[in-house]
Amino acid sequence: MATVDPRLDSIVAHMPGVKATVREDLEARADRIRSVVEAHRQTGALASGLSVRTNRVDSTVSLEDQAVVAINYGHLAANGRWVEGIHALEAGL
């Protein structure tokens, strides 16, 4: 009877080729997010708050700005008009 090592997910996640592929995929996603953010740049604060972080087995793209939710998803302007969001995070999916 065949058995599967219960640590198989960890073993695979730590393989150099897998780590490199995860990093490459994240960089491609980050580039798509950067493109959207740069196309909608006003102050540069959102673009400067974009970071790519790679840990031992995973990677993340972060957007840090006080108004990131409103910028990404949209918001009501002071005059009550809806301002569509830039949907940068969705570009990285």
Side-chain angles (χ1 to χ4, degrees), residues 23 26-41 43-54 59-66 68 71-72 86-93:
R23 175 71 182 187
L26 182 80
E27 284 296 340
R29 292 171 185 264
D31 287 344
R32 293 194 303 266
I33 293 170
R34 273 189 203 99
S35 294
V36 173
V37 168
E38 289 295 325
H40 292 85
R41 173 181 270 206
T43 66
L46 184 61
S48 67
L50 189 140
S51 64
V52 177
R53 182 173 155 194
T54 300
S59 300
T60 57
V61 177
S62 300
L63 277 175
E64 296 180 24
D65 187 281
Q66 289 181 336
V68 71
I71 294 168
N72 193 67
I86 66 172
H87 302 284
L89 296 174
E90 291 83 348
L93 298 178

